[in-house]
Amino acid sequence: MPKRHAPSLPPSPPRADALAKALGAERYAFDARPEGCLWAGAFRPGALFGPEGGMAHGRVRGVDTTAALAVPGVLRVLTAADVPGANLQGIVHKDQPVLCGEVLRHAGDPVALVLAESPEALRAGLAALRADIEPLPGVFDPEEALKKGAPQVHAGRKGGNLLLGAVIEKGDARAALKSVPVLVRGEFSTPVQEHAFLETPCGVAQLLPDGALQMTVSTQSPFRDRFEIGHALGLNPFKIRVRAPHLGGGFGGKDGATVQCLLGLAALKAGGRPVRMVWDREESILAGYKRHAVRLRYALGAERDGTLVALSCRVVFDTGAYAHLGSEVMELSMEHAAGPYRIPHVRVVGRCVYTNNPIAGAFRGFGVAQVSPAFESLMDELAEKLGLDPLALRRKNALRHGDENCSGVRLTGSAQLTDCLDAVAAHPLWTTREAWRAGAPAFTRRGVGLAAVFNGMGYGRGLADMAIAKLELTEAGGFLVYNGVPDMGQGNSSAFALLASQELNQPPSAIGLVQPDTEQCLPSGSSSAGRTTYTYGNALLKACAAMRVKLLSRAAMALFCDNLEGMELLPGMVRHRPTGKSLPLAAMAGFLSRDDRVCVAEALMPVAQNPPDTGKSFFIGFPHLLFAYAAHLARIEVDELTGRVRVCDYLAVTDGGRVLHRQGFDQQAQGGVAQGLGYALLEDFRLAEGRILTGDLSTYLIPTALDLPDIASEAVEGCEETGPHGLKGVGEVGLNGPAPAVGAALYEATGARLRDLPFTPERVLTALRKKPRRRRT
Amino acid sequence: MNVLTPRELPELFAALAAPGARVLAGGTDLLVRLRADLRQGRKVPSSLVRLDGLEELCGVAREPDGALRLGAATTHAGLLAHPLVRVELPVLAAALADLGSPPIRNMGTLGGNLCTASPAGDTLPPLMVLGASVELASAAGVRRMALADFITGPGRTRLAPGEIVTAVLAPSAREFAVRHFEKVGRRSALAVAVVSLAALLRLDARGKAVEARLAWGSVGPTVWRCPEAEAALLGQRPTLTALKRAAAVVRARVQPIDDLRASAAYRSEVAGNLLLRLAAL
């Protein structure tokens, strides 16, 4: 068993970025606007005519650049013919052109790139461009796309529109489901979700006289970006320097190239001048990646005492026009499809399908947010069928340390879902639920729902989840942490500063941070997968330990001590305790060479040993070993007259191992819940034949402060022994709970199980009409 | 683009006479539209003429006939903070409190909300049930007309070229015992109304309705009235039974449209349902 009680740390200091962000002093990629820079913008003709016109699939016959080039201030108009390299980008599958020369595969595909002296000239140039596009029949439904004779998104591709078909299997679910005493089934759907980060994709790039390309960009993956850009544009990736300052949000939508390849191309043609590209909100929604829409068909069987026996699940993923991370997101969906439960017989079948819809990709809760509403809804239905308390049913079946999970992986890491459920069970929001429900005002029904969720950490098997930390003793006697994983706002760099301050026994003010820069920092993977603080944190702890030994031994020499005994690292100095002799760090920095002032160390996330003999079609990522867990509770009010749902109270109890920084931990839980409540209730991404009908934030609605309750966040005390000071990543798990918790609360309030997200007032009112009488429990 | 800030009405009318000039009140609708026009390469005005430099267009005052005079360039937040508006025009205050968000309410003006003439304009249903009228002014002089006549369709008013709304005249609703406004949007702030209802009922000593005024937003091209539903409430106490009867009339008569925010069927259902809320007041 993991240790339950780790020694507690001193109270957390404010986040390292708090002051700069509160003062507006933090410089984002958006703020990079070098003097004399040019402006680049993409021409996306498929969306030219607003929601009423446009097209999502067409053959590019030509681009007429004459009028655009005649606009004063327009310098260049580039098309596919100007792209020097493969003109293809994609993290795993390279199938997305930087500029489309032959086929438009979705409404946001670009066919030209304009370089102009000013934003006004750029706008005029883009408005003057004309493209000759021959419409092609499109395919907009993933199941239609798999039918014989369906239009092909990538003509001539082996496998047609099926990007990947995969199976994860354990035991014999088909046979077991035939003989289980109790069976529940359901079909579900989850929608596209837009990241809606505050800072839209943006950056600046410049080609230097020595041929190096440098870029400051809002990105989650600066080290990988070099290879994306290099491949697409035919450049040596090691002559590309990418800097990633703090991001104004990412949530997965900046994991992969957004502006990068376009900006690189623009810089190559800008005569050495810097070029800036900023997508406005509409372009960000049009061309950016989305959460995959998924259809799910489930069957879950149990014994009469509630012991889960077998689960079968089929998922169909709409990955849109390009592969991006479609297979990888589906992998996570399938691996989490059976929920955080022990089930001996499991069969999960997935198909990830190309369509002419917008490109889907990574989004916080990467595939897991799509399956959690389904497995939790079936758990509730099962509890009702068996007359069991839904919390008790979950507790009975919850995965624990040492169990084999539904993919057949032995859980050697911490797994404290039962503690999360116990904390919910003991919470006043749960214990007072009957009285609260009975106090509903006129025309109002109340419901209380819960959800048990989890989320894998790291890249999974097949792709080393590694980070390399670099730590420098500065000339002034402070320390600099060279962060290799972008901080999207989740606070990982603050966590690094805190770890360094604790390990080196220095005040927070002595620790500086260098944000990711491929020239100064070392490759540490992407900011994603709940891995940032875990993997880089482990590397940093090693670097700190090495630094400590280095400083003690260098000081021992200067203080004429024979060994390290009695040497201690104190704020600003090393002291020899027995004699009281000390040496300031600034003095030491003066006589150490730069090389000797730096410590570098790496860490690798462990993977499952003896991986199960299934999931063979996944190139990378299957299976995961470590998971964060959470139990969520939502108390809601449903208005009988309008179907509107108000979330009154919310509780998230999270197992993230040991908590390093309580404020950061709570912010991750609360942010995930906020985004999850938007997914559950509001965010209704609408498409018609591949054209986006909700193309801005006045039609695509995300929650405002008034739409969210106070979100109580609690932590169960745990310890993941492989994590830095026992922590696990908690960035994603919080997003997976709200949809199932609200769904369960809605059932209690209305008597109807809603299986299609989002739970709009219209769907709720329809459900109320079908179940007009108040359900008594 | 020039931005002008006249201090006197004649100066304003002169500025508006220039070709391509447009009135800029709070800008919360206009600037959004101008951005879209710029983005699509469409023509934009050559000058914007601000109203907030004209003191006579701002503030709240009592008219000789007892009605309140609401300056057209008064911001929503300014109206909401005014005690006379809160006490005498609670249906309007309720609509203003739900309009947009704090920044929108700090910028947007009542006159702007009327001239935008959106089918979903939040202040329109309450002003309709209040029987408000508008005062218009141009170089040619001043005229008044009922708000119901002023707005002729979505985005369309009787405003003549060079003319502006100077004030809204709203009679007090103090005689109405039942005063209600409700907006149904897709979220709790910064939401376009899917359906809204403003209701005033004047009751006699026995609690029976002697006058009913009902107006809905977002269910038609302009504010929708339903005299049949109003008639169904007369002589009745506003009980659930009586309101359900009137709601059935509403659902049978209302003819909303489908759009991104809601279906016609949802709007019809909710347009009727909102009346039932009066039973819980």
Side-chain angles (χ1 to χ4, degrees):
Chain A
M1 275 297 289
K3 278 179 290 188
R4 286 295 303 276
H5 298 285
S8 57
L9 295 166
S12 358
R15 289 173 57 138
D17 55 353
L19 188 62
K21 285 183 176 175
L23 292 173
E26 190 66 61
R27 299 286 98 182
Y28 297 81
F30 189 88
D31 297 308
R33 200 180 292 210
E35 203 153 313
C37 73
L38 296 177
W39 298 71
F43 175 55
R44 305 180 189 274
L48 251 192
F49 314 100
E52 300 309 317
M55 71 179 81
H57 198 197
R59 188 167 311 287
V60 181
R61 285 196 290 226
V63 181
D64 182 357
T65 62
T66 327
L69 283 168
V71 171
V74 169
L75 299 182
R76 301 290 303 266
V77 178
L78 308 169
T79 63
D82 299 302
V83 183
N87 190 18
L88 285 174
Q89 57 188 33
I91 296 173
V92 182
H93 304 264
K94 308 275 183 208
D95 64 358
Q96 182 183 354
V98 180
L99 290 175
C100 297
E102 290 164 22
V103 182
L104 284 190
R105 295 188 181 84
H106 76 114
D109 257 343
V111 300
L113 183 67
V114 177
L115 264 75
E117 290 281 358
S118 67
E120 293 75 24
L122 175 61
R123 209 154 44 214
L126 286 170
L129 270 172
R130 293 290 173 271
D132 181 10
I133 316 270
E134 173 195 346
L136 294 172
V139 62
F140 309 105
D141 179 296
E143 286 170 282
E144 293 295 319
L146 291 176
K147 290 184 179 159
K148 227 176 144 176
Q152 294 297 293
V153 179
H154 294 268
R157 180 182 175 276
K158 192 172 161 254
N161 290 330
L162 182 67
L163 171 61
L164 181 75
V167 180
I168 293 178
E169 192 159 29
K170 185 180 98 160
D172 188 349
R174 277 181 288 202
L177 284 168
K178 278 182 195 146
S179 57
V180 284
V182 193
L183 185 68
V184 287
R185 298 174 174 281
E187 293 192 10
F188 302 83
S189 72
T190 61
V192 169
Q193 188 179 18
E194 163 68 28
H195 301 83
F197 21 62
L198 194 55
E199 181 197 36
T200 50
C202 62
V204 293
Q206 187 170 18
L207 189 66
L208 300 179
D210 66 356
L213 177 66
Q214 67 172 19
M215 194 176 285
T216 298
V217 66
S218 188
T219 178
Q220 292 174 230
S221 46
F223 289 94
R224 192 214 296 134
D225 286 348
R226 297 171 304 165
F227 296 94
E228 281 270 39
I229 301 163
H231 180 266
L233 304 180
L235 304 174
N236 176 356
F238 299 104
K239 291 201 80 178
I240 301 171
R241 176 183 187 178
V242 180
R243 274 180 280 214
H246 277 278
L247 281 73
F251 312 117
K254 295 171 184 169
D255 189 2
T258 54
V259 297
Q260 289 89 325
C261 297
L262 291 165
L263 252 182
L265 173 63
L268 292 183
K269 311 285 181 178
R273 290 174 68 179
V275 189
R276 182 168 191 256
M277 181 180 225
V278 178
W279 291 1
D280 64 13
R281 182 62 60 189
E282 289 85 342
E283 187 172 16
S284 176
I285 292 179
L286 173 67
Y289 309 111
K290 319 278 169 234
R291 185 190 297 287
H292 288 83
V294 182
R295 281 183 205 151
L296 314 99
R297 293 179 180 84
Y298 264 87
L300 173 64
E303 302 288 357
R304 294 216 177 276
D305 68 354
T307 305
L308 301 180
V309 175
L311 177 136
S312 132
C313 169
R314 304 177 76 84
V315 294
V316 181
F317 265 64
D318 180 353
T319 204
Y322 299 105
H324 193 50
L325 287 169
S327 308
E328 292 67 35
V329 176
M330 185 173 81
E331 189 282 322
L332 267 282
S333 253
M334 293 174 64
E335 203 180 336
H336 291 76
Y341 305 113
R342 271 185 315 277
I343 310 180
H345 303 284
V346 174
R347 180 177 164 83
V348 185
V349 179
R351 288 175 298 170
C352 191
V353 187
Y354 286 112
T355 64
N356 295 113
N357 287 328
I359 312 163
F363 197 136
R364 189 182 203 175
F366 199 95
V368 190
Q370 286 96 322
V371 290
S372 62
F375 64 69
E376 285 300 89
S377 177
L378 290 179
M379 284 298 277
D380 281 327
E381 203 167 329
L382 188 64
E384 189 185 29
K385 222 167 169 173
L386 293 168
L388 293 174
D389 173 65
L391 197 149
L393 178 70
R394 287 173 169 86
R395 199 181 187 294
K396 180 185 178 76
N397 290 286
L399 284 170
R400 297 161 193 253
H401 172 76
D403 282 347
E404 188 186 84
N405 75 8
C406 295
S407 316
V409 173
R410 183 72 55 196
L411 295 176
T412 58
S414 81
Q416 294 181 238
L417 178 56
T418 51
D419 293 339
C420 297
L421 287 164
D422 290 347
V424 169
H427 198 280
L429 289 175
W430 180 252
T431 55
T432 64
R433 66 192 186 281
E434 295 295 341
W436 182 77
R437 230 166 31 210
F443 302 119
T444 303
R445 299 192 197 181
R446 286 178 168 174
V448 180
L450 61 87
V453 290
F454 63 154
N455 208 106
M457 277 170 60
Y459 293 150
R461 246 184 115 89
L463 180 63
D465 192 314
M466 193 170 79
I468 311 173
K470 177 174 153 188
L471 179 66
E472 181 186 355
L473 170 68
T474 66
E475 287 175 358
F479 295 89
L480 265 183
V481 176
Y482 289 81
N483 174 18
V485 227
D487 192 330
M488 306 182 265
Q490 77 268 47
N492 54 306
S493 60
S494 295
F496 303 153
L498 179 60
L499 281 174
S501 139
Q502 289 170 351
E503 292 305 298
L504 300 168
N505 194 21
Q506 302 299 312
S509 59
I511 312 293
L513 284 161
V514 175
Q515 295 301 343
D517 174 347
T518 57
E519 201 166 284
Q520 296 191 73
C521 308
L522 295 161
S524 296
S526 55
S527 187
S528 65
R531 65 174 293 276
T532 56
T533 308
Y534 177 98
T535 310
Y536 189 90
N538 269 338
L540 182 60
L541 287 184
K542 288 189 191 170
C544 289
M547 179 64 82
R548 187 185 187 91
V549 170
K550 179 198 293 270
L551 294 176
L552 298 188
S553 52
R554 301 296 182 278
M557 215 178 339
L559 295 173
F560 301 100
C561 301
D562 293 325
N563 54 40
L564 303 193
E565 207 168 307
M567 300 292 297
E568 55 189 6
L569 181 55
L570 297 176
M573 67 169 91
V574 174
R575 188 174 67 174
H576 184 242
R577 199 175 41 235
T579 58
K581 288 189 289 188
S582 68
L583 187 60
L585 295 178
M588 283 176 76
F591 64 73
L592 297 182
S593 71
R594 166 81 208 274
D595 283 355
D596 203 21
R597 285 189 280 112
V598 171
C599 286
V600 170
E602 67 201 41
L604 190 62
M605 191 184 291
V607 292
Q609 300 304 310
N610 311 313
D613 186 26
T614 185
K616 293 293 183 198
S617 45
F618 295 117
F619 172 52
I620 51 168
F622 177 84
H624 289 72
L625 178 64
L626 301 174
F627 297 81
Y629 298 83
H632 286 196
L633 175 151
R635 305 216 301 196
I636 67 162
E637 284 184 353
V638 180
D639 179 32
E640 292 177 332
L641 301 185
T642 61
R644 289 199 71 190
V645 175
R646 189 171 80 87
V647 183
C648 307
D649 303 288
Y650 204 96
L651 168 67
V653 183
T654 310
D655 162 23
R658 186 143 163 268
V659 178
L660 172 66
H661 188 269
R662 185 55 198 255
Q663 186 193 36
F665 175 92
D666 290 341
Q667 286 172 340
Q668 281 298 292
Q670 290 160 341
V673 168
Q675 221 160 10
L677 287 173
Y679 186 52
L681 290 166
L682 279 173
E683 301 184 33
D684 197 5
F685 196 92
R686 304 275 282 276
L687 288 161
E689 306 228 303
R691 290 171 293 112
I692 299 170
L693 305 179
T694 47
D696 58 35
L697 293 181
S698 75
T699 46
Y700 183 79
L701 303 185
I702 60 173
T704 69
L706 292 185
D707 298 290
L708 297 170
D710 286 340
I711 299 161
S713 163
E714 292 193 359
V716 296
E717 208 172 330
C719 179
E720 168 49 51
E721 288 184 332
T722 66
H725 289 321
L727 76 70
K728 296 192 281 191
V730 293
E732 305 197 65
V733 70
L735 203 147
N736 304 329
V742 169
L746 268 169
Y747 176 68
E748 202 174 75
T750 67
R753 293 211 187 274
L754 297 185
R755 288 177 164 157
D756 303 297
L757 288 171
F759 308 130
T760 60
E762 194 151 355
R763 285 177 171 155
V764 173
L765 195 63
T766 306
L768 280 167
R769 223 177 15 241
K770 285 185 189 150
K771 303 264 183 183
R773 263 191 313 218
R774 193 177 291 247
R775 183 174 160 264
R776 305 266 174 215
T777 46
Chain B
M1 192 185 296
N2 290 321
V3 179
L4 308 170
T5 312
R7 302 280 165 193
E8 306 285 345
L9 277 174
E11 196 188 335
L12 169 85
F13 298 134
L16 285 180
R22 280 201 68 167
V23 172
L24 172 68
T28 56
D29 287 318
L30 181 65
L31 297 181
V32 175
R33 258 179 265 156
L34 290 188
R35 176 181 174 275
D37 287 344
L38 278 173
R39 213 176 167 271
Q40 315 266 338
R42 288 192 294 256
K43 232 181 96 184
V44 295
S46 54
S47 60
L48 294 179
V49 186
R50 287 169 57 175
L51 297 183
D52 54 353
L54 292 144
E55 258 176 53
E56 58 197 294
L57 298 188
C58 299
V60 175
R62 177 84 65 193
E63 287 282 282
D65 67 355
L68 292 184
R69 179 189 175 85
L70 313 174
T74 317
T75 63
H76 305 306
L79 290 171
L80 201 48
H82 202 284
L84 282 176
V85 174
R86 286 169 172 266
V87 172
E88 302 198 18
L89 309 173
V91 276
L92 178 63
L96 292 168
D98 242 7
L99 189 154
S101 62
I104 298 282
R105 293 195 287 272
N106 285 336
M107 290 303 293
T109 68
L110 186 62
N113 201 239
L114 302 189
C115 291
T116 295
S118 158
D122 287 325
T123 66
L124 306 184
L127 288 173
M128 287 294 203
V129 294
L130 287 166
S133 50
V134 288
E135 182 186 87
L136 313 176
S138 66
V142 176
R143 57 181 181 144
R144 284 187 180 187
M145 70 174 72
L147 179 62
D149 297 328
F150 176 68
I151 294 173
T152 56
R156 290 200 306 272
T157 67
R158 289 199 198 280
L159 215 53
E163 192 174 43
I164 62 158
V165 178
T166 47
V168 175
L169 305 147
S172 165
R174 272 193 294 198
E175 286 172 33
F176 293 82
V178 177
R179 303 174 296 205
H180 180 63
F181 173 82
E182 180 171 354
K183 167 179 168 177
V184 182
R186 280 286 281 110
R187 67 180 166 194
S188 303
L190 284 170
V192 177
V194 167
V195 185
S196 63
L197 167 68
L200 291 178
L201 298 186
R202 194 148 56 81
L203 306 180
D204 66 13
R206 291 167 304 162
K208 292 184 174 173
V210 291
E211 187 178 0
R213 297 185 189 172
L214 308 172
W216 284 262
S218 294
V219 295
T222 61
V223 169
W224 183 71
R225 305 294 299 261
C226 186
E228 297 81 359
E230 291 174 353
L233 289 174
L234 293 185
Q236 311 280 326
R237 289 195 181 86
T239 59
L240 195 54
T241 315
L243 292 163
K244 276 185 174 168
R245 263 201 306 272
V249 174
V250 169
R251 287 191 208 101
R253 298 197 159 258
V254 69
Q255 290 184 305
I257 56 161
D258 287 311
D259 67 16
L260 266 182
R261 292 177 191 95
S263 69
Y266 177 82
R267 287 195 162 96
S268 296
E269 168 105 13
V270 172
N273 285 358
L274 287 186
L275 272 185
L276 308 186
R277 196 86 71 197
L278 302 184
L281 293 182

